[in-house]
Amino acid sequence: MGWLKRRRRDDEEQVEQHAHDESQDKRQAGDDAEIWDEPGPRSAEDVDVSQGYVDLGALKIPAIKGMQLRTQLADDKRTVLRVLIVLGNSGLQISIAAAPRSGGVWDEVREEIRESLTSNGASVEDAETRYGAELLADMPVTLPDGSKATSRMRIIGREGPRWFARIDVLGPAAQSSEAGEGIEKVIDRLVVERDDRPRARLDLLPMHVPDNAVQAPIVPQ
């Protein structure tokens, strides 16, 4: 029976080594790795979110010093519809939904968003960036003194394996690529975890209010 014990021990060591190799393949948000030069968000299998991430369920957010995190809840007071990350004077508004494997959701949703914005008086134009096709919307606003102005919003749509993310960039970060550089580092480190449940197209993926505080910072500024 000695050979059988040795074989079992060898098999266990190979399994442990395989698990170690897989964990080494995953990147942490603070790593200086080429993966962060690629436009995000990315899927959970690509990133180690065990440290330095705020877990919202389907969405994992890199912890950043000074970050404010807000959630918009549905009428049931439990379902998170979207998440707002505030960094300085800029913000990211994020919603995550199910999508078909075939993709193509952003091409359809983009036109629906354009029609909705223009019907509310916004001026909308197309832009092509490292994230692909985007919308730039100048929204009419009324200032405290009663005068009229516009507020720019940058709308990004990203698709992954069976998920779709809508990301709205708000504030100064939406004005120019230079002002939005720090915000883009956050977008590139967002992680989406799609569950295995069958879901209808654009059904919101489950998110929840985070339970615990996470140490920060981890993202290069």
Side-chain angles (χ1 to χ4, degrees):
M1 297 292 290
W3 68 270
L4 182 55
K5 290 181 180 179
R6 285 196 301 272
R7 181 175 179 181
R8 286 177 177 170
R9 188 159 53 247
D10 291 343
D11 289 345
E12 289 172 357
E13 290 176 353
Q14 288 178 4
V15 170
E16 291 177 358
Q17 182 61 42
H18 179 67
H20 175 73
D21 291 343
E22 283 191 336
S23 66
Q24 290 294 97
D25 289 340
K26 292 189 175 184
R27 297 296 185 178
Q28 294 184 334
D31 290 349
D32 182 14
E34 290 184 2
I35 186 176
W36 304 126
D37 294 331
E38 302 169 7
R42 53 203 78 250
S43 296
E45 58 265 22
D46 298 327
V47 182
D48 179 7
V49 295
S50 62
Q51 295 182 355
Y53 270 84
V54 180
D55 186 354
L56 301 175
L59 180 65
K60 322 294 184 185
I61 297 173
I64 305 167
K65 188 175 182 179
M67 175 181 74
Q68 298 179 46
L69 182 62
R70 304 168 188 170
T71 55
Q72 180 182 348
L73 301 179
D75 293 338
D76 61 12
K77 304 302 180 183
R78 296 191 307 272
T79 304
V80 175
L81 300 177
R82 57 181 60 88
V83 174
L84 176 64
I85 302 172
V86 179
L87 287 169
N89 294 322
S90 296
L92 285 175
Q93 187 170 262
I94 309 161
S95 58
I96 307 292
R101 294 183 186 275
S102 56
V105 170
W106 179 226
D107 289 338
E108 301 174 20
V109 172
R110 190 166 65 253
E111 296 311 311
E112 295 173 3
I113 295 173
R114 187 199 309 275
E115 292 177 9
S116 175
L117 291 172
T118 53
S119 67
N120 285 286
S123 173
V124 183
E125 60 184 79
D126 295 289
E128 191 73 24
T129 74
R130 59 193 291 266
Y131 298 103
E134 297 184 17
L135 294 177
L136 296 177
D138 291 315
M139 310 288 295
V141 296
T142 302
L143 300 179
D145 63 0
S147 61
K148 302 297 183 180
T150 59
S151 176
R152 171 151 288 197
M153 179 169 59
R154 178 182 171 191
I155 305 167
I156 301 170
R158 298 290 289 167
E159 296 184 59
R162 299 171 62 232
W163 57 260
F164 169 74
R166 172 177 169 174
I167 304 168
D168 299 342
V169 182
L170 312 169
Q175 300 293 331
S176 67
S177 56
E178 293 80 8
E181 185 175 348
I183 285 288
E184 288 194 3
K185 290 180 180 179
V186 179
I187 296 174
D188 295 343
R189 287 162 173 79
L190 294 174
V191 175
V192 178
E193 185 170 9
R194 172 66 159 93
D195 58 18
D196 294 328
R197 291 183 55 184
R199 297 183 182 275
R201 176 184 177 277
L202 293 182
D203 270 3
L204 291 176
L205 297 182
M207 292 192 289
H208 56 72
V209 177
D211 297 324
N212 301 306
V214 178
Q215 185 176 358
I218 61 171
V219 174
Q221 298 297 304

